[in-house]
Amino acid sequence: MQLVVARVGRAHGIKGEVTVEVRTDEPELRLGPGAVLATDPASAGPLTIETGRVHSGRLLLRFEGVRDRNGAEALRNTLLIAEVDPDDKPEDPDEYYDHQLMDLDVVLEDGTEVGRITEISHLPSQDLFVVERADGTEVLIPFVEEIVVEIDLEKQRAVIDPPPGLIDDRAEIASSRDADNESAEDDENAPSGDAENTSAGDEA
């Protein structure tokens, strides 16, 4: 099966290197020198990785045949696609390939449905589940063991224990607005004058 493993970013320098947004947990395997990748759009590839290196926390790649900044810039936003055996599994039992996590149902520990995983976002600091709710809105769930307490591939679900505000932020915002409105009403009904200044004056 084919999986998107990276997206080409901006050109770096003048010798054909590009930054890439990594979308795989195994960049050393999928994005190593010699790897041949299909592309989207297809007209940009296939691309063979010639060199790779990390610079300021970002992966830089150079492809065979791309020798200058113009050639590198022409690849911007191109998706890099690897052929992956669907039966492959990461060596670490606590790691998963993106295709194993896609479309999993996300539920709370009590079974309450939250939504469905529609995308895995790989950020420098952590990975995020993009979860689509039944009403069409999206919520971002950090893929960390403190929050994602279980991945059950047999039952096709991810069990989460979210901190307050992570998935019920809209309720908190509404509550905050109500509190602000109540505070405003109290101010309108309160006697004129600044309470803090009055208190300070009494102390004097």
Side-chain angles (χ1 to χ4, degrees):
M1 65 185 298
Q2 290 189 321
L3 294 176
V4 174
V5 293
R7 182 180 67 85
V8 178
R10 66 182 62 184
H12 178 84
I14 60 174
K15 296 183 179 180
E17 284 187 312
V18 297
T19 62
V20 293
E21 173 191 318
V22 177
R23 297 188 181 182
T24 173
D25 290 331
E26 299 177 313
E28 67 284 351
L29 174 64
R30 308 297 179 192
L31 299 171
V36 180
L37 303 168
T39 60
D40 183 6
S43 58
L47 294 172
T48 300
I49 297 176
E50 185 174 279
T51 63
R53 64 188 180 98
V54 176
H55 175 73
S56 298
R58 302 209 64 171
L59 179 61
L60 302 180
L61 297 180
R62 179 185 289 116
F63 302 104
E64 290 184 3
V66 180
R67 289 289 177 264
D68 57 30
R69 187 177 184 87
N70 289 339
E73 193 63 37
L75 295 173
R76 191 167 186 173
N77 293 323
T78 296
L79 298 178
L80 304 178
I81 303 168
E83 190 70 36
V84 178
D85 186 333
D87 294 327
D88 278 355
K89 295 181 180 179
E91 294 182 1
D92 188 334
D94 293 326
E95 292 184 354
Y96 302 88
Y97 289 137
D98 286 5
H99 69 270
Q100 295 177 294
L101 302 171
M102 291 291 292
D103 292 326
L104 292 188
D105 293 324
V106 178
V107 301
L108 301 181
E109 291 182 292
D110 63 4
T112 301
E113 295 184 2
V114 177
R116 179 177 60 88
I117 298 175
T118 58
E119 183 181 341
I120 315 296
S121 179
H122 298 282
L123 303 180
S125 58
Q126 64 184 6
D127 295 335
L128 295 173
F129 291 162
V130 180
V131 177
E132 182 178 321
R133 293 168 159 171
D135 61 4
T137 60
E138 292 183 340
V139 60
L140 300 179
I141 307 293
F143 187 18
V144 294
E145 61 183 11
E146 294 83 3
I147 296 176
V148 181
V149 296
E150 181 185 4
I151 297 291
D152 191 330
L153 296 181
E154 289 188 3
K155 295 183 179 180
Q156 286 290 287
R157 70 177 190 175
V159 181
I160 66 171
D161 180 21
L166 182 63
I167 63 173
D168 55 350
D169 54 334
R170 289 177 298 177
E172 287 198 356
I173 291 173
S175 175
S176 176
R177 287 175 178 168
D178 290 342
D180 289 344
N181 290 337
E182 290 177 1
S183 176
E185 291 176 358
D186 291 343
D187 289 344
E188 290 177 358
N189 296 328
S192 59
D194 190 301
E196 291 181 357
N197 289 342
T198 301
S199 175
D202 292 341
E203 290 178 357

